[in-house]
Amino acid sequence: MTVEITNALPDIPRIYTAISEWLACMVYVAVVPRTVSLRRTLCMGALGLAVLIGLQYFAGTLPITFWILGMCLAFAAMWAIVRLASGIGKRTALFLTARAFVLAEMVASLHWQIDSFIRPSSAPLWRLQPVLALIGIYGICFAGAWLAERHSFRGDETITPTMRDAVTTSIITIITFAMSNLSFVSTNTPFSGTVGQEVFYIRTLVDLCGFLILYAQQEQIRQTRATLELASINASLQSQHAEYLQSKENIEAMGRLAHDLKHQIVALRAELDPQQASAQFERLEASVNEYSAQQHSGNPVLDVILTTKTRTCADRGITFTAVADGKLLAGMDSMDIATLFGNALDNAIEAASRVADLERRIIKLALFQQGQFVVVRVENYFEAPLKHDAIGNLTTTKRDKTAHGFGVKSIRHIARSYGGELTITPQNHWFELHVLIPLPLARIS
Amino acid sequence: MRAIRIGVVEDDPTHCQRLLDYLNRYQEESGERFTVSVFDDGAKIAENYVPMYDILLMDIQMKQMDGIDAAREIRKRDDSVVIVFITSAPQYAINGYEVGALSFLLKPVPWFGFQQEMARSIAQVRRNTDESMLVDTGTSSLRLVLADIVYFESIRHTIVIHTLSGKLSISSSLKKLEEQLEGRSFFRSNSCYLVNLDHVTGVQESDCVMSTGETLRISRPRKKEFLAALTNHVGTGR
């Protein structure tokens, strides 16, 4: 592939390319959360290095017309390494490999450019100085890339990129690669360099631009996602609060109604023959009592939510039992209480409603103190299979993925804003949601 | 495995009979063995209560002494018995947390709900029974009850076991202990601590507060994982 270059500088040795490709893969394996054991990552990493070196030498034996094929093979191998060593999904792996590929090209090119500048072309490759230069330049570049990308990919979960993001990434990568290597294919284009050093410089620069564009793209994806998520969490906060206000009004109205009814009964009873009507009226009174029966947990906001959800559950044939020390929530914002319990119970009700056997539609709620912690536990029996994403996180089983699945997120958001945490354990058909918040309850962020 | 001792406290004979039938059915289906005692009022079990039961199935509305009051009396003498309230009025049971009863059954009790609650209560009884580990102090071997261990501390090549009754040094490593105690309530909060989550009573910024009042540093990268493990542990605990 160096045929067209005027002063025919030798191009990057195959082994360097392989090392660079491998290191780039490892950078991305290191920045995404692993879902496979460390041992597997290490084994796959070691195996990957051997495969990449092997492939590079194999590609070296192919005629120059198969050069593109060689690059495609290397890319495929990198994709397999990233995927197998980290356990992420296919599309995410493609997304990362594209970045790794451009990064590898850039670092290898930069190093070779510097190397061919400081080392006389006749000097051997494997002396102390050039090897030190290799280690130094690769080390600094990949460490830098790791630091930069760690920031972009950090978080508990790698979110699978959308098809559009994956396509954009692929296009950027292909263009970067094509433009950076144009001079090696033909010097006779408006975008080609003709002098060796110049050709190397063009390649490094184009690769750098490609890498920066990909970095900026990831940054933008992250921003968009965060904004969307926040908007959804806020919308869910608002809707739970609105529902709370509505319920509060309804319940108050119901209370007044019950109160009035009681007075009417008293009046009626005075008029009629007490002996005969007594039994009937008692029954009437009991039913009114039942209607006015409200949960008294010790927190007015929680009472409203429990009362509302108890009615919803009754309508859907769900047995809902709650043990709750509402006084524990004294330091919590009423909107947060409404959102936390509202969402947790809505999710449970949604899942329990799908259970066919009415006897098995069960939801249990517990709010209690343990040590210096407030503990919330909401459990429901379920039958529908849960869906997990590529790395084992629960995802919504509802159709509209963008609108749902934020219930749990907003609960976690609230728990964390009070310095607490949320966990979910589905086991033996019981879906358990736990929230733990350190006392005294106070917002920390 | 020994039989599980169950107290049924219920004043309505029909409901009581239903519970006894369910207990028999549960024994047949699960292979568990029960020893059942029946009381027809809260006062009868609370008076001269002996902490010998594993599980109490307790009605709330009873004539002389209601279930909540009886449970309160019982709790003065027995921390570990699992109390399951059975009531027709959920608003009475909402305060169950006062006596450590975190769920209850609604009358008329359906078989499925009963079975699930029993399974959970039995699991809790089994957890309560003291698990222990053998440690080699160099001169002798000792049996330590896991519940008494507050945390393990690694100081150079020795491990100091902090128990409720004092300290003990052994030569081992936290890594080994961590493996040995896998699936128990222990969590590695720091390069030198393996703490018993049962004894964590609070978290203050980057420290966890132990039941003994000691505060132990949680390493920054483990903080999130620590909180998650604790949340899970405390949430599933009772």
Side-chain angles (χ1 to χ4, degrees):
Chain A
M1 61 207 211
T2 56
V3 278
E4 302 275 350
I5 298 176
T6 328
N7 59 352
L9 280 168
D11 199 22
I12 309 172
R14 296 264 166 198
I15 178 106
Y16 286 9
T17 311
I19 293 172
S20 182
E21 284 171 347
W22 180 73
L23 282 171
C25 289
M26 291 301 111
V27 164
Y28 284 93
V29 169
V31 295
V32 293
R34 258 186 305 119
T35 58
V36 297
S37 65
L38 183 63
R39 230 181 85 192
R40 178 164 152 196
T41 303
L42 293 178
C43 289
M44 283 300 157
L47 187 69
L49 179 60
V51 169
L52 284 175
I53 293 175
L55 260 180
Q56 281 299 330
Y57 279 102
F58 168 70
T61 63
L62 294 176
I64 197 73
T65 38
F66 290 112
W67 178 68
I68 288 288
L69 175 74
M71 290 318 284
C72 290
L73 278 177
F75 188 89
M78 287 172 76
W79 177 80
I81 292 166
V82 169
R83 183 161 148 69
L84 294 173
S86 64
I88 51 176
K90 285 178 202 151
R91 199 190 299 160
T92 317
L94 177 69
F95 194 69
L96 294 179
T97 311
R99 283 166 168 68
F101 188 71
V102 174
L103 175 65
E105 286 281 307
M106 177 182 83
V107 177
S109 170
L110 174 70
H111 164 259
W112 191 243
Q113 184 190 342
I114 295 172
D115 180 87
S116 49
F117 179 72
I118 55 174
R119 185 175 53 84
S121 56
S122 54
L125 275 180
W126 302 108
R127 281 285 165 79
L128 185 65
Q129 210 190 345
V131 169
L132 277 183
L134 178 79
I135 294 174
I137 291 170
Y138 278 22
I140 291 168
C141 290
F142 286 112
W146 177 72
L147 281 174
E149 294 290 45
R150 191 174 61 138
H151 165 76
S152 334
F153 288 95
R154 93 179 145 197
D156 306 331
E157 47 216 280
T158 343
I159 302 152
T160 315
T162 59
M163 193 47 108
R164 224 181 102 179
D165 292 339
V167 168
T168 315
T169 302
S170 305
I171 292 174
I172 295 171
T173 307
I174 292 168
I175 292 177
T176 305
F177 182 68
M179 292 301 286
S180 68
N181 283 289
L182 203 59
S183 307
F184 293 88
V185 180
S186 166
T187 48
N188 193 19
T189 74
F191 309 103
S192 309
T194 45
V195 188
Q197 273 299 327
E198 192 183 297
V199 167
F200 290 154
Y201 189 42
I202 289 172
R203 181 167 64 178
T204 312
L205 268 185
V206 173
D207 283 335
L208 176 66
C209 289
F211 185 72
L212 289 180
I213 292 169
L214 289 174
Y215 184 82
Q217 184 212 12
Q218 170 63 14
E219 214 29 44
Q220 198 232 330
I221 292 172
R222 248 162 50 91
Q223 289 289 345
T224 316
R225 212 171 263 154
T227 316
L228 260 178
E229 195 168 318
L230 204 65
S232 275
I233 288 172
N234 279 334
S236 133
L237 273 166
Q238 294 295 349
S239 76
Q240 289 291 351
H241 193 65
E243 192 187 323
Y244 158 67
L245 291 176
Q246 179 69 47
S247 311
K248 191 173 163 223
E249 246 167 59
N250 289 349
I251 288 169
E252 277 166 5
M254 197 87 81
R256 279 197 303 276
L257 192 84
H259 188 76
D260 293 351
L261 257 171
K262 270 190 201 168
H263 282 291
Q264 287 167 11
I265 290 166
V266 170
L268 273 169
R269 182 181 276 158
E271 280 180 24
L272 294 168
D273 170 29
Q275 295 245 307
Q276 233 188 16
S278 170
Q280 211 175 339
F281 276 120
E282 240 160 61
R283 218 176 302 137
L284 186 59
E285 199 173 4
S287 75
V288 170
N289 272 336
E290 202 173 293
Y291 239 83
S292 63
Q294 293 177 12
Q295 303 274 12
H296 292 289
S297 66
N299 180 292
V301 184
L302 184 62
D303 288 348
V304 171
I305 293 163
L306 292 182
T307 308
T308 322
K309 301 301 176 195
T310 305
R311 297 221 172 109
T312 315
C313 286
D315 288 345
R316 302 198 185 188
I318 300 167
T319 308
F320 172 51
T321 59
V323 173
D325 184 358
K327 290 187 287 297
L328 290 175
L329 302 176
M332 205 175 206
D333 190 60
S334 65
M335 196 128 140
D336 290 339
I337 298 173
T339 310
L340 198 160
F341 289 91
N343 276 327
L345 287 171
D346 279 353
N347 283 351
I349 289 170
E350 164 93 33
S353 308
R354 272 185 260 139
V355 176
D357 183 356
L358 284 183
E359 228 183 52
R360 298 183 179 208
R361 292 188 180 173
I362 304 176
I363 297 175
K364 299 178 186 184
L365 178 142
L367 162 66
F368 56 99
Q369 177 175 0
Q370 180 143 327
Q372 285 303 301
F373 298 107
V374 177
V375 185
V376 181
R377 179 171 72 205
V378 179
E379 305 161 83
N380 66 274
Y381 185 84
F382 71 92
E383 270 164 359
L386 295 168
K387 275 193 189 164
H388 296 263
D389 64 15
I391 61 160
N393 278 322
L394 281 172
T395 58
T396 177
T397 51
K398 295 170 204 163
R399 276 218 190 95
D400 182 3
K401 290 207 187 207
T402 47
H404 299 98
F406 285 110
V408 169
K409 278 212 170 114
S410 57
I411 299 172
R412 177 174 282 140
H413 183 75
I414 291 168
R416 287 191 178 158
S417 69
Y418 287 85
E421 189 49 273
L422 166 144
T423 60
I424 282 169
T425 49
Q427 52 184 349
N428 290 334
H429 286 288
W430 282 92
F431 186 93
E432 292 191 18
L433 180 144
H434 309 133
V435 175
L436 178 95
I437 303 174
L439 281 167
L441 286 195
R443 257 180 179 281
I444 54 165
S445 59
Chain B
M1 254 185 260
R2 66 170 178 81
I4 294 190
R5 289 158 306 203
I6 296 177
V8 176
V9 191
E10 168 64 78
D11 59 351
D12 180 333
T14 336
H15 282 131
C16 189
Q17 191 51 50
R18 184 194 274 247
L19 288 178
L20 295 177
D21 292 344
Y22 279 173
L23 285 172
N24 279 332
R25 181 169 164 194
Y26 193 94
Q27 287 192 87
E28 278 163 29
E29 289 184 9
S30 68
E32 292 283 354
R33 281 182 305 120
F34 298 149
T35 323
V36 183
S37 315
V38 180
F39 302 86
D40 63 6
D41 194 274
K44 292 194 178 156
I45 185 166
E47 213 175 284
N48 306 320
Y49 177 81
V50 187
M52 56 171 283
Y53 299 100
D54 295 311
I55 301 172
L56 295 178
L57 302 175
M58 177 109 70
D59 183 17
I60 290 192
Q61 292 133 290
M62 289 179 289
K63 284 186 197 76
Q64 265 184 285
M65 183 189 266
D66 74 31
I68 300 258
D69 285 340
R72 218 171 269 136
E73 281 302 308
I74 288 167
R75 275 287 178 243
K76 289 180 188 164
R77 269 166 279 177
D78 191 344
D79 270 344
S80 59
V81 62
V82 177
I83 299 176
V84 178
F85 284 122
I86 295 170
T87 179
S88 46
Q91 61 267 37
Y92 294 115
I94 195 162
N95 295 323
Y97 61 86
E98 287 173 13
V99 290
L102 295 177
S103 69
F104 58 91
L105 290 167
L106 275 179
K107 282 182 191 174
V109 181
W111 162 246
F112 180 75
F114 177 84
Q115 182 202 30
Q116 296 289 313
E117 200 59 40
M118 277 310 284
R120 197 234 286 273
S121 302
I122 290 169
Q124 199 178 327
V125 169
R126 298 260 186 260
R127 253 202 309 277
N128 284 345
T129 53
D130 298 336
E131 282 184 291
S132 59
M133 67 184 290
L134 267 182
V135 293
D136 193 2
T137 59
T139 49
S140 61
S141 42
L142 264 181
R143 185 166 285 282
L144 286 182
V145 175
L146 293 189
D148 290 346
I149 299 173
V150 184
Y151 65 100
F152 297 93
E153 183 181 13
S154 157
I155 302 176
R156 270 168 248 115
H157 293 294
T158 49
I159 295 288
V160 179
I161 309 176
H162 296 255
T163 70
L164 289 175
S165 50
K167 288 193 243 178
L168 188 68
S169 297
I170 57 167
S171 57
S172 180
S173 73
L174 285 185
K175 197 168 182 330
K176 265 190 230 162
L177 287 166
E178 218 181 338
E179 278 164 19
Q180 193 183 344
L181 295 167
E182 170 98 57
R184 304 298 193 286
S185 58
F186 290 83
F187 189 86
R188 182 82 171 265
S189 63
N190 190 318
S191 57
C192 47
Y193 300 126
L194 180 63
V195 300
N196 188 346
L197 292 177
D198 279 328
H199 282 287
V200 176
T201 58
V203 170
Q204 289 171 351
E205 280 152 37
S206 53
D207 295 320
C208 59
V209 185
M210 307 306 289
S211 58
T212 51
E214 286 165 284
T215 53
L216 306 177
R217 180 55 55 97
I218 309 163
S219 79
R220 189 175 260 285
R222 284 174 204 254
K223 173 89 190 273
K224 220 179 203 174
E225 224 182 306
F226 175 83
L227 262 184
L230 188 67
T231 304
N232 222 1
H233 181 72
V234 171
T236 347
R238 304 201 289 185

